[in-house]
Amino acid sequence: MKVLSASAGWQWFSEAIRLFRQQPTQLMSLFFLYLLAMVVLSIPPYIGPVLPLLLTPVFNMGFMEAAHQTAKGQKVTPQTLISGFYSPSLRRLTTLGAIYGISLMIALWIATLPGENGWEMVLTAQDKIDPKLLDTQELLTGTLWGMVAMLPLLMLTWYAAPLVMWKNLPLIKAMYFSFYATSRNWRAFLVYGASMAMLAGMLPVMFIEVLMLILGKSALIGVLILPMLAVITCLRYLSYYPSYTDLFGQPGTEQ
């Protein structure tokens, strides 16, 4: 398995932008179809909150397939989004979703431990919270604890879905290789994380500030910022593909 340079983290985003420019309309349509599917899946009582988590790896593979098809010059269709549902590895993908959901709940529980006026209040509140009641220190500490708890989970699951579906690996073995790949290439992922924070954090804030200078405090700003956030999120999904191929090769090949 390759050990990539730190600059690879930025190159993944550059490649995602290149892929997006090839067929932006189809990829954005796929993204909005995914959002619609998540909303519909969350509607049923009792199982509504669980279904999106179980099926997240399946839909994520839809985006991976879309990136793969785009890289090969093929047209992406709505059918691409549900390609994971036709895979023999569907059960393993949903099991991965269950593992992710349980781990996420554990991480959220850990985030509530610093005190009852932090994340515990945010997660259990039935009505609107008075900001004066929140303890900023408890919120920051809880956020840090939750992020530390989530880091091993992210490393275990980052490449697990494509390794399961494209390499046909057993789930545990796929999670092991995912952790191994991300830990060995921590420099590239550090740059990737910084690039993502800049793209998803600083850029929208700068755009909002410019709009406020032009429009003032207008409700129109929220409408104008939504397409930008959608494009950024779509680029984030597309960036998974070049990072995977850099480490594990093209789908259907041995590395």
Side-chain angles (χ1 to χ4, degrees), residues 120-173:
E120 183 177 348
M121 181 180 292
V122 174
L123 295 172
T124 59
Q126 300 294 324
D127 301 312
K128 188 176 180 180
I129 302 173
D130 185 352
K132 295 179 182 179
L133 298 177
L134 291 172
D135 188 311
T136 305
Q137 185 62 41
E138 289 184 5
L139 274 174
L140 291 175
T141 304
T143 301
L144 179 60
W145 287 16
M147 290 173 62
V148 171
M150 282 294 293
L151 183 59
L153 168 67
L154 290 174
M155 295 172 70
L156 285 166
T157 60
W158 196 263
Y159 294 120
L163 288 173
V164 161
M165 182 165 159
W166 285 341
K167 299 286 189 182
N168 198 30
L169 294 183
L171 181 55
I172 298 301
K173 192 173 182 179

Side-chain angles (χ1 to χ4, degrees), residues 71-248:
K72 294 194 300 180
Q74 299 175 354
K75 187 176 180 180
V76 172
T77 66
Q79 186 84 4
T80 307
L81 183 64
I82 57 174
S83 56
F85 288 92
Y86 299 101
S87 170
S89 58
L90 176 60
R91 179 175 294 182
R92 280 172 285 165
L93 290 174
T94 54
T95 303
L96 178 63
I99 293 171
Y100 184 84
I102 293 170
S103 302
L104 180 61
M105 287 188 288
I106 293 173
L108 289 173
W109 173 73
I110 291 173
T112 66
L113 294 180
E116 61 183 13
N117 292 326
W119 278 106
E120 183 177 348
M121 181 180 292
V122 174
L123 295 172
T124 59
Q126 300 294 324
D127 301 312
K128 188 176 180 180
I129 302 173
D130 185 352
K132 295 179 182 179
L133 298 177
L134 291 172
D135 188 311
T136 305
Q137 185 62 41
E138 289 184 5
L139 274 174
L140 291 175
T141 304
T143 301
L144 179 60
W145 287 16
M147 290 173 62
V148 171
M150 282 294 293
L151 183 59
L153 168 67
L154 290 174
M155 295 172 70
L156 285 166
T157 60
W158 196 263
Y159 294 120
L163 288 173
V164 161
M165 182 165 159
W166 285 341
K167 299 286 189 182
N168 198 30
L169 294 183
L171 181 55
I172 298 301
K173 192 173 182 179
M175 294 175 71
Y176 166 77
F177 278 114
S178 176
F179 187 89
Y180 185 71
T182 51
S183 60
R184 289 196 70 189
N185 290 278
W186 65 270
R187 296 175 183 85
F189 277 94
L190 190 63
V191 173
Y192 175 79
S195 303
M196 186 164 62
M198 186 180 301
L199 186 68
M202 294 178 61
L203 192 60
V205 170
M206 292 170 61
F207 186 57
I208 290 172
E209 289 180 352
V210 171
L211 289 177
M212 288 185 68
L213 289 174
I214 299 172
L215 302 173
K217 293 182 179 180
S218 171
L220 186 60
I221 292 177
V223 177
L224 294 174
I225 197 67
L226 283 177
M228 181 183 186
L229 294 175
V231 170
I232 289 173
T233 306
C234 190
L235 289 174
R236 180 170 64 83
Y237 279 115
L238 290 173
S239 68
Y240 296 159
Y241 177 75
S243 75
Y244 171 85
T245 56
D246 272 358
L247 292 171
F248 298 100

Side-chain angles (χ1 to χ4, degrees), residues 56-67:
T56 290
V58 184
F59 284 116
N60 283 351
M61 284 310 301
F63 277 100
M64 291 287 275
E65 285 285 354

